Amino acid sequence: MVYYNRLVVHTDFDGLIAAFLLRKLFGKLDVVFVDPHSVETRAFQGTPQDITADLPWPGAGLWFDHHATNARNRDKGIFDEKAPSSPRVIYEHFKKEHPELEEYKEVIEASDKIDFARFTEEDVRNPDKWMRLSSTLDFGEKED
C-alpha cells in the first residue's frame, strides 16, 4: 500500500476543488499550493508520497490532470484531456468506488465551467457563489 502525506495542487479554483475532493477521499493530508511554472522549472520537486492535481507531473506518487499540455505524462497517472477540470477527472475516476462524491456534483460542475471559461452573459452579470469565490483567489503567479 502506498502512503501519501500531502496534496500538491495548482493555485486556482480547479486546484482548490481538486484538493477538497482528494482530502475527502484520502483524509486530512497537508495541502501545498504551487503554480505550474514552479513545477516546470523544477523550483518545486514532488515526491512519491505526493498526490498532485492540475499541475505538470512533478514526480508524484499519484497524479490527476486534464491539460493537453501535460499529455506527455499520461502514462504516469490519471489523465483525461477531454475533461474540463481536474475535479472532473478525480470524480470520474473514483465515482464507482465512492458514490458519496455525487454530493459534490455542484462544485465539480462549477469547476468545469470556471476552468474552461464556459461563461454565459448571465454568469458574468450575476455570478453565483462559485464564480464569486473563484474571483477571490490569489493564484500566486505574480511577476516581480
Side-chain angles (χ1 to χ4, degrees), residues 1 4 20 32 39 44 46 49 52-53 59 63 77 98 100 103-104 108 124 139 141:
M1 181 172 173
Y4 300 109
F20 170 78
V32 177
V39 176
F44 174 83
Q49 287 74 45
T52 304
W63 175 72
H98 295 276
E100 70 274 14
E103 177 181 349
Y104 307 110
I108 294 166
V124 174
F139 299 138
E141 298 175 9

Side-chain angles (χ1 to χ4, degrees), residues 42-55:
R42 305 232 187 266
F44 174 83
Q45 292 284 323
T47 73
Q49 287 74 45
D50 291 338
I51 301 172
T52 304
D54 199 39
L55 289 167

